[in-house]
Amino acid sequence: MELEKVHRGIRIRIYPNNKEKSLLEQQIGNSRFIYNLVLKIQETRYKNKEKHLSKFDTYGLIANLQKEYPFLSESKVETLRHSLDSLNFGFQRFFAKQSKYPKLKKKFKSKRNFTVTRGVKILHNRMGLGKNFNLKAVFHKEIEGKIKKITITANPSGKYYASILTEN
């Protein structure tokens, strides 16, 4: 008999310096931008009576959008894909009549976050999110198990948090 996988979430405070803050804000902005852009594409397709794009079709748009909007190339593809995953989940819930139609994310009214699933390293009091990020963090307990994903959230007060999802 196999043991069930247990997921645990830990929320920690991170302390980015000014350069890291601007990189985090770039990631947050790019995630919001691609979400809104693909939402508009889906609305246009609906109005033209075209077929709704699937999750994997929207993934295919990323390369073309990165050519059209070069600033999107500064974000990891996986971060942009996760943003599209949340949009596709919103459409699934809408089509199943479980929620309203997905709305555009407004710059200062929506939850400001992005998610990373690969290239994450946890050191003594630092958290590495790829080659650009090595953020100072405060860990109140030891992180056990395999890290599944990390969601970085920015509060309106200017504080940054990381929610770490692990699997045992």
Side-chain angles (χ1 to χ4, degrees):
M1 185 172 142
E2 273 187 53
L3 293 174
E4 284 189 39
K5 294 180 181 180
V6 178
H7 292 97
R8 297 190 189 279
I10 301 167
R11 186 171 186 223
I12 60 169
R13 174 89 189 271
I14 56 176
Y15 298 92
N17 60 31
N18 288 335
K19 181 182 175 190
E20 292 166 341
K21 279 183 185 177
S22 67
L23 288 171
L24 291 174
E25 291 298 328
Q26 174 79 31
Q27 298 292 318
I28 290 168
N30 287 351
S31 292
R32 182 181 55 80
F33 181 81
I34 199 158
Y35 178 98
N36 289 342
L37 193 61
V38 174
L39 178 59
K40 287 179 184 176
I41 290 170
Q42 295 283 36
E43 288 174 351
T44 304
R45 291 180 65 84
Y46 178 76
K47 287 177 185 172
N48 295 336
K49 297 187 182 346
E50 296 178 49
K51 185 180 174 202
H52 180 81
L53 292 175
S54 72
K55 172 180 170 177
F56 299 106
D57 292 336
T58 60
Y59 286 175
L61 294 174
I62 292 174
N64 294 332
L65 292 174
Q66 284 179 327
K67 289 176 188 170
E68 192 174 339
Y69 303 99
F71 60 88
L72 288 176
S73 298
E74 296 174 21
S75 291
K76 288 184 171 185
V77 172
E78 62 161 309
T79 301
L80 300 176
R81 281 184 176 175
H82 192 275
S83 185
L84 295 178
D85 284 345
S86 66
L87 176 62
N88 287 317
F89 182 68
F91 274 116
Q92 284 177 358
R93 290 184 52 81
F94 170 71
F95 291 135
K97 299 185 182 348
Q98 295 175 338
S99 67
K100 294 181 181 179
Y101 190 81
K103 293 180 181 178
L104 292 173
K105 288 188 176 184
K106 295 182 181 175
K107 189 170 186 175
F108 296 107
K109 300 245 179 190
S110 65
K111 191 172 185 182
R112 298 176 47 233
N113 64 17
F114 71 95
T115 301
V116 179
T117 55
R118 285 189 231 134
V120 179
K121 294 178 185 162
I122 303 291
L123 304 170
H124 175 63
N125 63 348
R126 310 263 314 148
M127 183 174 60
L129 300 176
K131 56 187 170 186
N132 293 336
F133 299 111
N134 193 10
L135 304 167
K136 182 179 176 188
V138 174
F139 296 94
H140 298 289
K141 57 168 79 169
E142 189 175 327
I143 304 214
E144 299 173 1
K146 180 182 175 190
I147 296 174
K148 296 296 285 180
K149 67 179 180 178
I150 295 182
T151 301
I152 305 295
T153 306
N155 281 359
S157 63
K159 296 178 182 177
Y160 291 85
Y161 294 92
S163 299
I164 303 170
L165 182 69
T166 62
E167 178 180 85
N168 288 351

